[in-house]
Amino acid sequence: MGELFQCRRVSFGLLVLCLFVSLITVPAVEARIRRYKWEVKYEYKSPDCLKKLVIAINGRTPGPSILAQQGDTIIVELKNSLLTENVAIHWHGIRQIGTPWSDGTEGVTQCPILPGDTFTYKFVVDRPGTYLYHAHYGMQREAGLYGSIRVSVPDGVAEPFPYDYDRSIILNDWYHKSTYEQATGLSSRPFVWVGEPQSLLIQGRGKFNCSLLTSPSLEPGVCNATKPECSPYALTVIPGKTYRLRIASLTALSALNFEIEGHNMTVVEADGHYVEPFVVKNLNIYSGETYSVLVKADQDPSRNYWTAVNVVSRKPVTPTGLGLFNYYPNHPRKSPTTIPPTGPLWNDTEYRLAQSRAIKARQGYIHPPPVTSDRVIVLLNTQNEIDGYRRWSVNNVSFTLPHTPYLIALKENLTHAFDQTPPPDNYDFVNYDIYSVAKNPNATSSSGIYRLQFNSTVDIILQNANTMNVNNSETHPWHLHGHDFWVLGYGKGKFDMFNDPKNYNLVNPIMKNTVPVHQFGWTALRFRADNPGVWAFHCHIESHFYMGMGVVFEEGVEKVGELPSSIMGCGETKGFHKP
Amino acid sequence: MGELFQCRRVSFGLLVLCLFVSLITVPAVEARIRRYKWEVKYEYKSPDCLKKLVIAINGRTPGPSILAQQGDTIIVELKNSLLTENVAIHWHGIRQIGTPWSDGTEGVTQCPILPGDTFTYKFVVDRPGTYLYHAHYGMQREAGLYGSIRVSVPDGVAEPFPYDYDRSIILNDWYHKSTYEQATGLSSRPFVWVGEPQSLLIQGRGKFNCSLLTSPSLEPGVCNATKPECSPYALTVIPGKTYRLRIASLTALSALNFEIEGHNMTVVEADGHYVEPFVVKNLNIYSGETYSVLVKADQDPSRNYWTAVNVVSRKPVTPTGLGLFNYYPNHPRKSPTTIPPTGPLWNDTEYRLAQSRAIKARQGYIHPPPVTSDRVIVLLNTQNEIDGYRRWSVNNVSFTLPHTPYLIALKENLTHAFDQTPPPDNYDFVNYDIYSVAKNPNATSSSGIYRLQFNSTVDIILQNANTMNVNNSETHPWHLHGHDFWVLGYGKGKFDMFNDPKNYNLVNPIMKNTVPVHQFGWTALRFRADNPGVWAFHCHIESHFYMGMGVVFEEGVEKVGELPSSIMGCGETKGFHKP
């Protein structure tokens, strides 16, 4: 393993050779190159029975799954066949050690890929686990551009829990309006909110009630509940067998609760890390999170059961998303006669907080966190109005992406490319009332970033607050690129800088890349700034990031190898070449 | 004038100085710099009362008018504020002498402008007349990105016809589906046709019959006939005065007929050239054409009159587009009680052919064509199926745009950037039956171009034919970039290479940049290949060009000055720099 670890640190030019050496010296790790050719294109699809334009990969949404083994090199040749739109794809949960330019975050690590261009993403999947990929440009993720990455353990290495079969599903919410329509509303003055999603999708399938289109639409057949394309996703199981079910959420907005009617689930993995097992009937999952649960097909095998997703944390308007837990040999389209599960109380924050707290690192697989940190950054999450535009802000600064990617700007000293003033490390926690309507008249927009000392330990306190509506606070799932962080604790109300750290879990905190900050609460994280590059950290709700809810961290950019010219071409890197 | 003419030939770097010298030596020509700052952005608009996302310039569609005087330099700083989409704008009818990189044709003369970027177009408007601008990327023109250019004669120079007031209107057709939806259908296998437009617009205003949305839509108020935004365009006139009305068409699909109820129109200009005046009650106008007509407000001034556009050449499904010819001081929203004009018979090809033939150069303003040509290129227009995709072809070749603009590829010898085999100069005119359904099993797609000898005289015969439907031929308005051409003749049936040229009008042919080829007919053009650069020549129907109905001409590219780096950045010009 030491050999492979070193490989991760070398420049990419040497990687193939290095992996080759690994193959010789560490025969257990048979690192392979897995090559994918993807074409990104608009297509008509009916994920929830309503025909709509989606961005598909090789004709599919969700796109093709990446199935790999720890240590493999993934090469995705991405052809942009959109007509006038650029694209970029992020590999969610992959730390991109040594390849920060492959993170796929437009404006942060690369220029967007132009129509007609083919861009090659190349990176190593260095840890087993459940990951995702999705567009990270504009709001293209919502248009259907996403899929799953499953990294298995090396041959001869055992998972710490037994199971018979391995299955993946992605949960999502689905809007009928195009991302253009949504984004235009979000950027309008006054703000126009698209509303709640029309459907919830299980592995890309949902069922919109076509009769809600009060109207025969101008185009007949635009909504048709009998399309095979929107038949419920059936997870077929053999009675008595145990299934590892990898569940991920890529919702645009919704916090979800997942359950399998009549079955318990044992949570064993979160964001690529083993979890000290615990049993649930209902799993809360926030956008950007992944979990593995073990499910035993131990119920009456003469019938099927519902799989169900329900909205939590926001008052549900979107109907339950349904699939089938299909006991073989029952027909996979035979619906149960039981009433579909409606999930827990949507506004039971205590229950969700408790489940968040239950997620701990598994004994034997604990990566102990550093016991102290070098820097504490408190990030107050608020809604603001700036020049009449509705925005989200962090410490009163609403994030705007520059048009020259940070990674290139920092590496090549293009100092005009973004605001050089970093955003503040704190907010006025003495005077700020997190329970009152956010006003923040002095909120500003900025592309400034946090520059972290390389190899330092950083604590982040995500502090939630009231939005611009009375008695309202939203759940925000924050996702960190390029790292996993330790989840040190969750709390209610305003974080107490003096007392709350005393209760940090430094014993067996789970490591994750995405974590919720609950309503009117706080979440404390710790990470090592040990991955040279520039990394986004943002709310994974698509519209929230679009509206400024994010920050960017730089660390050790001077240690980053020579940037591939393929990531350049926009902003100040147009026609860029070294002198 | 000689001084100014020379100015056009110098490199742009010297232009300001040169114009300055002109100012001193030719005081009548007060060439000015006219600077515009435009922001391109998605906005919700209701041009025909139905709310829809459009691409607006500074919040408007049609965009701001460019009003200039002959010899002025236009500078447009175009900021792309679209979220994920690039853009490019073509200055339709402006020959771009000395500035071929400012023609704004994505894939031909420039790379697209990325979101966040500001691109500067700079060119001289060297002739008075009525011109247009519009997006020339993907199908963005249809999304509302267009406007008018009016170039007046220099101070002290008189037009050859008197009038009291000068007014401009652009005619258009309007789809409710997005250009993405349309383009996706066009690129689908099987082909999905969007159908006829929902509305016809006069100066950006139409009226869709909201009750046709059989349905209360999910969003109330999405269609509202009382919005001021879609009140009919009123052309207010003072009784007894004469108006120069500059009429342009930028339809996506439709050939139009324009009339003003009860009024004659005298045609005096076409595409920037003076026309030997002739009187019409109905003006046929094809996408990409501009005309000036003189209209005298000589009818009963106690009422208003309809202005009306109707579809011709295709069986009309789209209702008449209506505006008001408003006699001051009647209220500009007072509709006439008369029945709106329904236009001529839509399928009267003879009538339209006759009107095309009536357009001749005005005495005293005739530019005589060269009496012979150096090369004759016959372009057969057919519909084809290629690999199951519906395409338009020219001599059995369906045009595809490369992702490296030709201008850069040719100037910098990037020979891999496009197909090096030129398309054929002719088709099998002996055996091809233009009246039978096109099959063309050997049709291919290509990005090959025609390379013309510099300063040679080229004849183009546009030959129409049957489409893939029985007894069907469509009208195609072909538009040439970078030049005006002489219109030598129109004919019915198959062009006779031996006899038809004998009837060419070499005496007083009109010069134009856009010309129709009528159903089952031909049109003969002549032009001088005297403008160094690379120039598109294509059907101006947006979907037809998208589906391959175009060619590209190169001439004297070696004489083109150094290309601005701002046009680069895509395809093989990514990070391009001279060695």
Side-chain angles (χ1 to χ4, degrees), chain A residues 42 44 53 83-86 114-116 137 177 180-181 184 214-216 219 403 546 566 568 570 574 577, chain B residues 42 44 53 83-86 114-116 137 177 180-181 184 214-216 219 403 546 566 568 570 574 577:
Chain A
Y42 271 109
Y44 277 108
L53 220 46
L83 182 54
T84 55
E85 259 179 273
N86 309 309
L114 268 66
Y137 184 49
K177 290 215 173 193
Y180 300 94
E181 293 175 295
T184 303
T214 10
S215 55
E219 191 186 349
H403 293 288
Y546 175 73
S566 59
M568 303 186 187
C570 58
K574 189 161 174 164
H577 58 278
Chain B
Y42 272 110
Y44 277 109
L53 221 45
L83 183 54
T84 54
E85 260 179 90
N86 309 309
L114 268 67
Y137 184 47
K177 291 216 173 190
Y180 301 95
E181 293 175 294
T184 303
T214 12
S215 55
E219 191 186 347
H403 292 288
Y546 176 73
S566 59
M568 304 185 186
C570 59
K574 190 162 174 162
H577 58 279

Side-chain angles (χ1 to χ4, degrees), chain B residues 35 117 190 229 238 267 275 358 446 482 512 555:
Chain B
R35 199 178 283 274
D117 273 5
E229 202 182 331
I238 297 166
V267 180
V275 168
S446 169
K512 293 187 101 258
E555 68 211 39

